[in-house]
Amino acid sequence: MGIEENWGSFVNMTLAKAESHGKVAQYWDRMHNIMSMAIIFLSALTTLSVLLPITHYVGATLGAVTTLLSAINGSLNPSTRRQEQMEASRGFRALMLKMVRVELEKDYEDLWKEYNKELLGEPFLPSKFKVKDNTAFSMSPEFQIVVAQKKAEVGECLSKIGEEHSEDNCLVYQSPMSEEIDLEVEADIEE
């Protein structure tokens, strides 16, 4: 896989990760809202049941259910999980945008290092929220020049290998891709 394909896969992977973490954040936001509203509603009913002249078992039952739901909410901590997922989404989206605007090979390599660090620190992502997406971004013109230069260097290396090794002295592995690379390099040089 060449730099161009790696660049495209980087953009696709980071965008898919950003969208996936965004979906998980929406899920936890929805859970937080539902649980908070249920706790508020049950607390109001508990207070109302204590004030009304009805049996004390109703108020005690509502209080117990409210306490149980509050404990579950505190244990799951959906607002914190939402925040973690949003931060991961922002991090991957920022990496994707940086890669779209990359101009130098050094920056390209640094972004791959950042991506690997981001992968190590990302929160859990359930498989049902994973997104596969193909993007329609293109490289910056500056980075396209770097890629064309790299292809030309690879083409030169392949041609030197072919010249230095004759068929009767040794076998040189010729990749089926080498013809494509040579053709692409020639096309890029002609442009």
Side-chain angles (χ1 to χ4, degrees):
M1 206 183 243
I3 291 178
E4 204 166 355
E5 292 83 12
N6 284 337
W7 179 90
S9 67
F10 184 99
V11 171
N12 287 333
M13 289 184 300
T14 52
L15 183 62
K17 286 271 190 191
E19 289 179 359
S20 297
H21 283 291
K23 285 186 173 193
V24 176
Q26 288 175 350
Y27 169 80
W28 284 114
D29 187 50
R30 193 169 36 256
M31 289 298 295
H32 173 69
N33 290 338
I34 289 170
M35 292 182 103
S36 295
M37 294 305 287
I39 291 170
I40 291 168
F41 181 73
L42 286 172
S43 296
L45 284 179
T46 303
T47 304
L48 188 64
S49 69
V50 169
L51 295 175
L52 293 176
I54 55 176
T55 179
H56 67 290
Y57 294 115
V58 173
T61 303
L62 285 172
V65 171
T66 304
T67 303
L68 179 65
L69 191 57
S70 294
I72 291 170
N73 189 38
S75 176
L76 289 178
N77 210 349
S79 62
T80 302
R81 290 184 185 205
R82 176 200 171 276
Q83 186 64 32
E84 289 172 354
Q85 295 291 340
M86 284 305 297
E87 287 173 9
S89 178
R90 273 188 231 111
F92 283 113
R93 196 168 304 278
L95 281 175
M96 187 260 315
L97 293 173
K98 286 178 187 177
M99 183 59 86
V100 168
R101 294 303 312 149
V102 75
E103 295 177 359
L104 303 172
E105 186 177 2
K106 171 90 172 94
D107 296 338
Y108 168 81
E109 292 171 1
D110 290 343
L111 286 173
W112 273 103
K113 289 176 186 174
E114 280 185 54
Y115 175 72
N116 289 325
K117 285 179 187 176
E118 192 76 28
L119 281 177
L120 292 174
E122 78 174 314
F124 175 71
L125 186 63
S127 60
K128 71 178 184 178
F129 292 105
K130 291 186 180 170
V131 173
K132 288 286 183 193
D133 191 20
N134 294 327
T135 57
F137 293 107
S138 62
M139 289 185 209
S140 67
E142 294 85 356
F143 195 61
Q144 286 177 348
I145 293 169
V146 170
V147 170
Q149 288 171 346
K150 281 287 190 186
K151 284 182 180 180
E153 290 173 9
V154 168
E156 287 177 29
C157 288
L158 289 175
S159 66
K160 285 181 183 179
I161 290 173
E163 291 171 4
E164 292 174 2
H165 299 25
S166 64
E167 292 180 353
D168 46 59
N169 289 343
C170 65
L171 291 174
V172 176
Y173 174 74
Q174 189 117 29
S175 166
M177 297 292 289
S178 64
E179 291 178 11
E180 289 180 23
I181 291 171
D182 289 339
L183 294 175
E184 288 177 9
V185 169
E186 290 173 8
D188 289 337
I189 293 172
E190 290 174 4
E191 292 175 7

